[in-house]
Amino acid sequence: MKTPGPPPTPTNLKELLGNPGKRRLNNREPDPEPAIPSCPSFLNKEARREWRRVSKLLFANGLMTQLDRAALAGYCDAYARAAEASRQLQKYGLIVKSPNGYPMQSPYLAILNTALQEMRAFSTEFGMTPSSRSRVKVANPKQRDLFGDFLDAQEDAG
């Protein structure tokens, strides 16, 4: 059953915003370590390329953990579908002929629109849009080099 209203705001974000609702904060909320999860094998080549690009950026900003694997996979999958639908629209155009010969909207337009909506929803979750990013504040973002930490851990493991 879907609950009414907007999704809950994470406690760390409430603290960074100064707890605007003045409600009691959850001091036992999980706080996973930043990490880049492994890329799921079901993603196609284009989605994997986007995974590599975005996961590094999210990790460098302290916004990526092992728990975010499925959400990022959803974003990357939607990205790949949007790219493919866009290529097909360029190839066939916005209007195609139906089996009866009548002009109709290309089905690729519906695929593109759905994928873009999914991308927007996932992007908002990760603070990847200008408006959602404006609500996220990072304390001393230059203080810790998370990507450097990740590379050091990879070298130690190998």
Side-chain angles (χ1 to χ4, degrees), residues 3-143:
T3 58
T9 303
T11 300
N12 60 351
L13 185 55
K14 287 180 185 176
E15 288 174 347
L16 291 171
L17 296 174
N19 192 13
K22 305 300 180 204
R23 293 185 180 95
R24 189 169 16 150
L25 298 177
N26 178 3
N27 60 0
R28 297 179 62 176
E29 183 176 296
D31 186 21
E33 285 292 316
I36 297 178
S38 61
C39 182
S41 60
F42 63 82
L43 293 178
N44 68 22
K45 185 178 178 180
E46 184 135 32
R48 287 174 191 245
R49 189 173 23 247
E50 182 67 357
W51 175 281
R52 285 189 299 274
R53 185 187 75 81
V54 173
S55 65
K56 291 175 187 175
L57 294 170
L58 291 171
F59 180 77
N61 285 287
L63 299 172
M64 171 96 324
T65 73
Q66 292 291 341
L67 296 173
D68 301 320
R69 184 175 190 243
L72 185 58
Y75 165 82
C76 293
D77 185 59
Y79 175 87
R81 281 185 282 119
E84 178 61 24
S86 184
R87 282 191 291 274
Q88 295 303 321
L89 280 171
Q90 291 171 22
K91 183 176 180 180
Y92 297 110
L94 295 173
I95 305 296
V96 296
K97 286 189 179 182
S98 72
N100 296 335
Y102 294 103
M104 62 179 258
Q105 176 180 297
S106 171
Y108 291 111
L109 188 57
I111 293 169
L112 175 62
N113 286 334
T114 300
L116 291 174
Q117 288 174 351
E118 291 172 7
M119 285 176 59
R120 181 173 166 250
F122 284 118
S123 295
T124 300
E125 290 293 319
F126 284 108
M128 292 169 31
T129 64
S131 62
S132 66
R133 193 168 40 252
S134 71
R135 293 188 293 270
V136 177
K137 296 179 184 174
V138 180
N140 301 324
K142 302 290 185 214
Q143 189 174 30

